[in-house]
C-alpha cells in the first residue's frame, strides 16, 4: 500500500575538520538522527544530512603544523567523523564534505548568481590589521589589547581593503516579519527573542570574501567573478544544505524542515542563511533549532581545559551500558533547551537505572516473563480495552488503555514537531511506567498464585482478569516501544524479536524501515500490527542490566 510520503529534510552543522570529533558533534547529530527516525516512523520521506566543513583556515594551519597538506588532514579527520557517526548508529542519508565537487561547483554558482543580482557587491572593508600576523582582528579584540597585536604586541594598523559584501541590510524587514510570524521558526523560544532583539538593532552588509595574500595556503573556493578573492568559509559552508539537494530527485526536500545546531552558530543560520536563500529565490528553512552546550562535570568544555568528552569515552559507555542507553541518556538529559547540561557519571547511572533497567527494561521483562510462566509463552486473548482496578478505598480506577496510548502517541508526535525530542521520547517512557503501575495495582502474580492454590474466590473471573492484565500490558508496551525506538532502535528491535511482533521490514535490522506509518502501527490492538493473541513470547535477556552506582566511570569521565 503506498504510504503518504511527505518530504522532510533534517540537517546538522557541518563540522570543522581541524580536529577530531567530540561529544558536542555527536550530540547534535544524535538529535538529528532521533528526529529523522521519528519522522520516518511517522511515514515521511526523510533526508538526513551531516558532513564536514573543510575550507577553514584553521584546517590548513592544523595541517601545516603536522607537515601535512590541508586535504590530507581534512580527509583523515572527515574519516574520524564518519567513524564516530557509524559507531553512534546514525542513519544519515548522506555525508557531505565541502571539498567535494558537487559542493564547490554549486556553491560558486550560487555566489555568482548573487553577484549577478547585485546582492553581492564590492565594497571597502575597514578594520584593524595585524601586520605581524597578516590578519584582521575585531574591534573588540583590538581595543582589549590597546590596539596592539594580541599575539606579538606590535602596533595594529587601521587598514581598508576591498572585499565582496552580501547586502544583508536589504532583507531586514523581510526576515524580521518571517521570524516574528514563525514562517521561519526559531526555536527554542528564548532563541527567537534573542535573534529578534539583535535584528532590531539593524542588519549590516556582511563580508563574503577574503583577498588572497602572498603565502596563503591554496585552500578554499575562489570568488567565481574574481579569483583574487576567496569565498569566506562560513558563506560557502552554509551553502552545503542546498548544494546536496540541488540535484534531480532531491529538490523535493527543499526547504529544510529543520537545521539543528548549538547556540554558537545560530546567527549564521537564522539570519544570514535565510536572507541568502531569499536573495537566491529559494525558500528559507522552516525551522532553525539551536540547543545549548554540554559541559563536563560542571565546567565548560574547551581545548585549553582539555576536558572534552571524547569519542573513546562514549565508546566505553556504549560498551558497558549499551549504545542505546548512551543514546537515551544524551537525548533525554542533554542541553536540548536553553540551558547547558552536565555530563556527570553519577547522573548517567541514576538515569540508566531509573528509566532503563528499572523502567522500560523491567516492565518488558516482567510482562514477558509472566506470559511465559502463566501461559507457556502464548499471548492470551482479551477483547477489552479497559480494566477497572479496585483501589483500597473501594473506588475503581478505569484504565482505558486505548485512550491512554493514543493520548501519549499524540503527545509524542506534537513534541517531535516542535523538536522537543526529549519530551517526545518521554511519552514512550510514561506509557511504560503506566504499565508498571498497572501491574503493581492489579497484582497478576497474586491472582495466578491464588488460582493455582485454589484459594481464588472466583477462578473463572480471575483467569479472565489475568488474560486482560497481561494482554493489555503487552500491547501498551508494544506501543511504548514504538515511541522509544528513535532513541533506542536496537533494544526495541530486540524486544520485538522476543515478542514476535516486528513492525520492521527486517526484524534483525533496526534500520530496515517500517511496514506501516505510526498512525497505523500505534493503533491499539490493530488487527495486523497489534500483539496477537496466540502469538509466542520468548523469555529474552533483560534489555538493560542494573548498574552499580559505585563502579567508576568507564573511560575515565569525571567522578
Ligand atoms: O561551527 N555542546 O563547526 P564546529 C553541544 N563548521 N554541542 C556542541 C558543543 C558542546 N559543547 N560543541 C560543539 C562549525 N557542538 C561550523 C559550522 S555549518 C554550515 C558550519 C556542536 O566543528 C554544535 O552543533 O565548531 C555546534 O553548533 C557545532 O558542534 C559546532 O561545530
Amino acid at each position: 500500500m503506498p504510504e503518504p510520503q511527505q518530504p522532510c529534510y533534517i540537517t546538522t552543522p557541518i563540522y570543522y575538520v581541524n580536529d577530531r570529533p567530540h561529544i558536542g558533534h555527536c550530540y547534535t547529530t544524535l538529535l538529528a538522527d532521533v528526529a529523522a527516525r521519528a519522522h520516518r516512523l511517522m511515514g515521511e520521506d526523510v533526508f538526513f544530512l551531516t558532513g564536514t566543513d573543510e575550507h577553514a583556515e584553521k584546517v590548513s594551519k592544523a595541517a601545516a603544523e603536522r607537515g601535512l597538506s590541508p586535504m590530507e588532514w581534512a580527509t583523515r579527520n572527515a574519516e574520524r567523523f564518519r567513524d564516530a557517526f557509524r559507531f553512534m548508529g546514525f542513519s544519515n542519508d548522506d555525508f557531505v564534505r565541502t571539498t567535494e565537487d558537487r559542493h564547490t561547483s554549486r556553491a560558486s554558482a550560487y555566489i555568482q548568481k548573487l553577484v549577478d543580482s547585485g546582492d553581492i557587491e564590492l565594497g571597502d572593508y575597514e578594520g584593524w590589521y595585524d601586520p605581524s600576523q597578516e590578519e584582521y582582528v575585531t574591534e573588540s579584540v583590538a581595543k582589549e589589547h590597546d590596539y596592539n597585536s594580541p599575539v606579538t604586541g606590535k602596533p595594529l594598523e587601521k587598514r581598508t581593503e576591498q572585499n565582496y559584501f552580501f547586502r544583508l541590510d536589504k532583507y531586514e524587514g523581510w526576515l524580521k516579519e518571517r521570524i516574528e510570524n514563525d514562517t521561519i521558526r526559531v526555536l527554542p523560544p528564548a532563541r527567537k527573542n534573542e535573534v529578534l532583539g539583535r535584528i532590531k538593532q539593524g542588519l549590516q552588509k556582511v563580508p563574503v570574501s577574503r583577498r588572497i595574500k602572498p603565502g596563503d595556503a591554496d585552500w578554499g573556493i575562489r570568488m567565481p567573478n574574481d579569483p583574487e578573492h576567496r569565498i569566506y568559509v562560513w558563506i560557502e559552508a552554509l551553502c552545503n544544505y542546498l548544494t546536496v539537494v540541488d540535484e534531480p530527485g532531491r529538490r523535493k526536500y527543499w526547504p529544510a524542515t529543520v537545521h539543528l545546531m548549538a547556540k554558537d552558530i545560530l546567527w549564521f543560520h537564522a539570519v544570514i542563511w535565510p536572507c541568502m536563500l531569499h536573495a537566491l529565490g529559494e525558500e528559507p528553512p522552516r525551522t532553525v533549532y539551536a540547543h545549548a552546550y554540554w559541559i563536563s562535570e560542571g565546567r565548560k568544555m574547551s581545548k585549553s581545559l582539555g576536558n572534552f568528552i571524547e569519542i573513546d569515552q562514549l565508546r566505553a559507555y556504549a560498551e558497558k551500558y549499551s549504545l542505546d542507553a548512551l543514546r537515551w541518556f544524551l537525548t533525554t538529559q542533554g542541553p536540548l533547551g536553553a540551558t547547558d547540561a552536565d555530563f556527570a557519571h553519577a547522573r548517567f547511572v541514576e538515569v540508566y537505572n531509573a528509566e532503563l533497567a528499572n523502567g522500560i527494561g523491567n516492565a518488558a521483562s516482567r510482562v514477558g516473563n509472566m506470559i511465559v510462566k502463566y501461559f507457556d509463552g502464548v499471548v492470551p486473548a482479551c477483547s477489552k480495552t479497559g480494566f477497572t482496578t479496585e483501589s483500597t478505598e473501594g473506588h475503581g480506577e478505569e484504565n482505558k488503555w486505548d485512550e491512554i496510548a493514543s493520548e501519549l502517541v499524540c503527545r509524542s508526535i506534537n513534541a517531535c514537531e516542535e523538536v522537543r525530542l526529549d519530551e517526545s521520547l518521554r511519552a514512550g517512557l510514561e506509557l511504560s511506567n503506566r504499565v508498571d503501575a498497572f501491574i503493581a495495582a492489579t497484582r497478576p502474580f497474586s491472582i495466578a498464585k491464588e488460582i493455582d492454590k485454589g484459594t481464588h474466590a472466583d477462578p473463572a473471573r480471575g483467569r479472565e482478569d489475568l488474560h486482560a492484565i497481561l494482554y493489555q500490558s503487552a500491547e501498551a508496551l508494544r506501543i511504548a516501544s514504538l515511541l522509544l525506538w528513535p532513541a533506542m532502535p536496537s533494544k526495541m528491535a530486540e524486544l520485538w524479536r522476543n515478542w514476535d511482533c516486528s513492525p520492521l521490514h527486517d526484524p534483525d535490522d533496526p534500520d530496515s524501515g517500517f511496514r506501516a506509518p505510526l498512525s497505523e502501527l500505534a493503533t491499539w490492538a490493530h488487527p495486523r500490527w497489534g500483539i496477537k493473541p496466540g502469538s509466542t513470547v520468548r523469555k529474552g535477556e533483560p534489555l538493560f542490566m542494573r548498574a552499580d552506582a559505585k563502579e567508576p566511570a568507564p573511560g575515565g569521565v569525571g567522578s
Side-chain angles (χ1 to χ4, degrees):
M1 189 177 53
E3 293 166 4
Q5 293 267 293
Q6 187 191 333
C8 170
Y9 182 21
I10 297 169
T11 72
T12 72
I14 47 172
Y15 306 108
Y16 286 131
V17 283
N18 57 313
D19 210 343
R20 58 187 183 273
H22 58 71
I23 189 176
H25 306 123
C26 284
Y27 175 65
T28 314
T29 317
L30 173 60
L31 293 178
D33 185 63
V34 169
R37 286 174 185 275
H39 283 275
R40 286 192 203 111
L41 177 57
M42 288 183 233
E44 292 171 24
D45 173 7
V46 174
F47 189 72
F48 160 22
L49 178 69
T50 187
T52 45
D53 183 0
E54 308 201 347
H55 287 132
E57 223 174 274
K58 56 182 166 186
V59 175
S60 56
K61 274 191 181 153
E65 281 163 18
R66 291 164 177 85
L68 296 171
S69 73
M71 194 53 141
E72 282 169 329
W73 185 237
T75 301
R76 194 174 296 184
N77 281 318
E79 250 344 283
R80 286 170 161 165
F81 275 91
R82 274 208 172 99
D83 274 354
F85 293 175
R86 261 192 295 266
F87 144 67
M88 290 293 295
F90 298 155
S91 60
N92 48 299
D93 297 287
D94 203 341
F95 184 104
V96 63
R97 296 182 56 188
T98 53
T99 45
E100 291 168 337
D101 286 347
R102 60 173 172 165
H103 173 77
T104 55
S105 58
R106 291 198 187 103
S108 305
Y110 305 151
I111 299 300
Q112 183 63 57
K113 193 170 170 189
L114 294 175
V115 170
D116 294 342
S117 64
D119 286 287
I120 286 182
E121 61 184 25
L122 203 55
D124 285 336
Y125 176 81
E126 197 188 46
W128 290 103
Y129 188 69
D130 180 352
S132 57
Q133 293 298 105
E134 292 188 45
E135 66 181 9
Y136 281 92
V137 298
T138 61
E139 177 64 37
S140 59
V141 171
K143 196 168 170 192
E144 193 185 321
H145 294 88
D146 242 350
Y147 301 94
N148 293 315
S149 164
V151 183
T152 61
K154 293 185 180 157
L156 298 173
E157 294 170 9
K158 187 113 206 173
R159 271 210 199 169
T160 304
E161 74 170 46
Q162 284 209 311
N163 260 335
Y164 289 91
F165 286 86
F166 172 59
R167 294 287 315 272
L168 186 65
D169 52 319
K170 276 186 12 192
Y171 300 109
E172 186 177 316
W174 173 85
L175 181 70
K176 190 167 145 281
E177 190 188 326
R178 269 149 198 83
I179 294 181
E180 265 167 357
N181 67 20
D182 291 326
T183 312
I184 303 170
R185 285 193 310 175
V186 178
L187 292 172
R191 300 280 168 238
K192 171 178 172 178
N193 295 336
E194 193 181 288
V195 164
L196 280 173
R198 267 186 77 183
I199 293 173
K200 282 176 193 153
Q201 290 170 19
L203 295 183
Q204 270 122 44
K205 301 180 204 180
V206 286
V208 295
S209 76
R210 293 270 159 87
R211 180 178 282 280
I212 299 170
K213 293 183 285 301
D216 277 0
D218 186 14
W219 193 236
I221 309 178
R222 291 175 189 244
M223 281 295 284
N225 60 325
D226 186 348
E228 307 251 294
H229 286 254
R230 213 181 334 264
I231 305 173
Y232 177 38
V233 67
W234 254 108
I235 297 300
E236 167 239 305
L238 286 165
C239 293
N240 90 89
Y241 302 126
L242 189 56
T243 60
V244 175
V245 295
D246 195 0
E247 59 177 77
R250 283 187 175 174
R251 283 294 323 193
K252 64 179 172 185
Y253 294 115
W254 197 261
T257 310
V258 56
H259 290 314
L260 285 161
M261 74 218 65
K263 56 191 177 183
D264 52 343
I265 56 177
L266 177 62
W267 185 254
F268 285 102
H269 286 84
V271 175
I272 299 174
W273 178 230
C275 293
M276 280 173 67
L277 285 165
H278 185 55
L280 284 167
E282 298 284 353
E283 274 190 71
R286 300 247 184 270
T287 301
V288 176
Y289 191 99
H291 58 75
Y293 285 137
W294 275 105
I295 52 177
S296 172
E297 302 286 342
R299 302 180 74 181
K300 188 177 187 305
M301 289 194 289
S302 73
K303 252 194 167 157
S304 50
L305 286 174
N307 63 344
F308 273 116
I309 308 242
E310 304 272 355
I311 302 300
D312 283 349
Q313 291 168 310
L314 296 181
R315 282 186 197 272
Y317 268 82
E319 221 157 87
K320 189 165 165 76
Y321 302 101
S322 78
L323 174 61
D324 283 11
L326 174 68
R327 290 173 52 109
W328 174 264
F329 176 76
L330 294 177
T331 321
T332 60
Q333 299 292 317
L336 185 61
T339 36
D340 294 346
D342 200 355
F343 192 103
H345 178 62
R347 180 80 186 133
F348 183 97
V349 175
E350 192 182 308
V351 168
Y352 174 87
N353 277 335
E355 298 180 350
L356 303 182
N358 299 333
I360 174 69
N362 184 51
S365 301
R366 267 179 119 182
V367 171
N369 291 349
M370 283 194 276
I371 292 176
V372 168
K373 194 165 166 193
Y374 307 141
F375 301 105
D376 288 330
V378 179
V379 174
C382 163
S383 53
K384 297 194 293 184
T385 54
F387 194 99
T388 308
T389 49
E390 311 283 333
S391 73
T392 41
E393 292 88 39
H395 315 293
E397 193 200 331
E398 213 177 348
N399 296 276
K400 290 189 173 166
W401 281 110
D402 52 344
E403 288 175 20
I404 296 170
S406 90
E407 200 260 323
L408 286 165
V409 170
C410 275
R411 197 194 296 174
S412 177
I413 292 173
N414 290 341
C416 182
E417 297 293 352
E418 288 166 18
V419 203
R420 288 182 281 114
L421 300 170
D422 50 353
E423 277 180 58
S424 176
L425 294 167
R426 277 194 185 287
L429 187 67
E430 186 174 330
L431 188 50
S432 137
N433 289 344
R434 298 280 289 253
V435 170
D436 229 23
F438 179 58
I439 292 172
T442 54
R443 304 176 61 80
F445 32 86
S446 303
I447 301 175
K449 208 179 209 170
E450 284 171 18
I451 295 173
D452 199 37
K453 284 189 172 164
T455 55
H456 199 287
D458 182 351
R461 163 83 198 273
R463 255 186 294 277
E464 200 182 302
D465 282 355
L466 205 54
H467 284 207
I469 295 164
L470 289 178
Y471 177 83
Q472 291 175 0
S473 298
E475 179 61 355
L477 285 180
R478 179 191 72 85
I479 296 173
S481 68
L482 289 164
L483 305 183
L484 296 170
W485 178 84
M488 302 190 284
S490 301
K491 292 290 181 186
M492 295 307 115
E494 193 179 320
L495 179 67
W496 297 334
R497 280 195 300 274
N498 288 338
W499 287 17
D500 197 20
C501 66
S502 185
L504 295 165
H505 285 287
D506 174 357
D508 290 325
D509 176 6
D511 289 337
S512 62
F514 288 91
R515 291 191 282 165
L518 185 65
S519 51
E520 265 185 56
L521 293 173
T523 303
W524 182 264
H526 188 281
R528 181 132 188 241
W529 310 114
I531 294 263
K532 280 191 233 6
S535 63
T536 320
V537 164
R538 265 198 317 271
K539 189 172 170 173
E541 295 288 312
L543 292 176
F544 303 96
M545 301 296 287
R546 282 190 188 89
D548 180 354
K550 289 193 279 303
E551 278 190 29
V557 183
S559 48

